[in-house]
Amino acid sequence: YAAVVAKEFNSVTIENHLKMNAIRPCDTCWNYTLADSVVNWCLRNKKRVHGHTLLWHESFPKWLKKYNSKQDSAFVENVLKEHVMKTVKRYKGKIASWDVANEVIADKSTELRQSFWLTILGPNFLSRIIQYAKEADPDVKIFYNDYGQEYDYVKIEGIDKLLATLKFQNIKIDGIGFQMHTCIQSPSLDSIKNAIMHFAKQGYLIHISELDVPNYPKDGNKTMTDSMLRLQSERYKNIAAIYALVPQKQRFGITTWNLSDKDSWIRTYMKDELQKPLLFDEQYKRKPAYYGFREGLKISLKK
Ligand code: 9MR
């Protein structure tokens, strides 16, 4: 695994070890052991590390649940502040960019997602996370990461609204993360292109942050065919080619969500065990998807 990462990639996002529930397993403990070891490996191997993520409703530490009344808001704010400042400071000079928040906008709405953070801290919690992160490391690049921009125009409107609110408060975001958990059939390439260019035109850095391409719909026929693997390869190529339309200095990078098919969250977390969503097979051999992706990247590199 490490040999393939060392050879093929120049940037790493740590999938889980930097999430709040991983770093704060209990109210009196902090655990940076796993994150430290990956960050140090990356630095030894000259990889850029992108931080994921300071806040996500799904990586909520369970022990915090009991502080769920408005009277707890000062305490909760302090937990969040300490988490953000301590974490960003610890990796200052090592992790230069962070997904400050992940998926804070509700589905099919332009409003903030209902969450513990919204209820206890009110709608400006994201502004404060960004301020804390900047205080801990003034040079850090701030990303807002979400899914669905490429197929849901309402999500784009929601992000625009969030960005406008932050701008009004004089708070700067550097980039937008498009998770891009996509599939072979949909959405259309035009839809992907329009979503990416919508934010590129506003000057943001663009990170395709969690790319993967499952082969068949979740409840579809699970027979894997060569033609599916070819279509998957085309899809990777086309996405990399669309990325070439982003002005070069705004291309932060493309990150796939883990390395080989057997490492994918789609198999473990989604329990869809026959999918082959990534660039490398179970033996860490390059798949057709790898070669398609590389073709697409060559277009990017020419521009
Ligand atoms: O891939 C991650 C999986 O291993 C974890 O169990 C899961 C819960 O922490 O998170 C997965 O990654 C998610 C990412 O952090 C945010 N975007 C959606 C990803 C897939 O669920």
Side-chain angles (χ1 to χ4, degrees), residues 269-286:
Y269 184 89
M270 301 290 279
K271 306 209 180 327
D272 202 355
E273 282 136 14
L274 300 175
Q275 297 278 17
K276 298 175 181 291
L278 288 166
L279 302 177
F280 298 89
D281 69 13
E282 288 84 352
Q283 282 75 45
Y284 296 97
K285 296 255 159 46
R286 297 167 173 181

Side-chain angles (χ1 to χ4, degrees), residues 112-129:
L112 290 175
R113 179 186 296 282
Q114 283 306 323
S115 71
F116 173 89
W117 303 113
L118 179 62
T119 312
I120 307 300
L121 300 181
N124 289 323
F125 65 88
L126 182 57
S127 320
R128 297 200 297 279
I129 297 177

